[in-house]
């Protein structure tokens, strides 16, 4: 299977509940799934989302 990846960086002022809600919206409406999360000492999170590559066009990320 081929995947496309979208790296995101969430600032330290975004709490866990808000980050979860944002990622859930992307998962439900755009077909993204969580591939990896890194939490840094300063509180920032590096998130990598992925979704399968298919022939029909899919909506992009909304920021």
């Amino acid at each position: 299977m081929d995947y496309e990846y979208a790296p995101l960086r969430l600032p330290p002022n975004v709490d866990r509940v808000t980050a979860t809600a944002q990622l859930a919206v992307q998962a439900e409406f755009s077909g993204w799934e969580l591939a990896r999360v890194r939490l840094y000492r300063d509180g920032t999170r590096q998130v990598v989302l992925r979704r399968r590559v298919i022939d029909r066009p899919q909506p992009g990320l909304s920021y």
Side-chain angles (χ1 to χ4, degrees):
M1 282 186 252
D2 291 330
Y3 288 96
E4 63 177 311
Y5 293 89
L8 299 174
R9 195 167 198 82
L10 301 175
N13 62 346
V14 176
D15 64 349
R16 189 177 196 166
V17 174
T18 305
T20 302
Q22 289 176 346
L23 296 174
V25 167
Q26 293 301 325
E28 184 164 347
F29 294 107
S30 299
W32 293 99
E33 63 185 35
L34 189 62
R36 187 177 321 132
V37 177
R38 274 191 182 161
L39 179 61
Y40 292 99
R41 287 182 184 223
D42 66 352
T44 60
R45 288 179 178 85
Q46 182 180 6
V47 178
V48 178
L49 301 176
R50 72 177 186 176
R51 67 178 171 187
R52 283 190 195 161
V53 176
I54 56 175
D55 293 336
R56 65 176 190 251
Q58 293 181 333
L61 285 174
S62 61
Y63 295 100

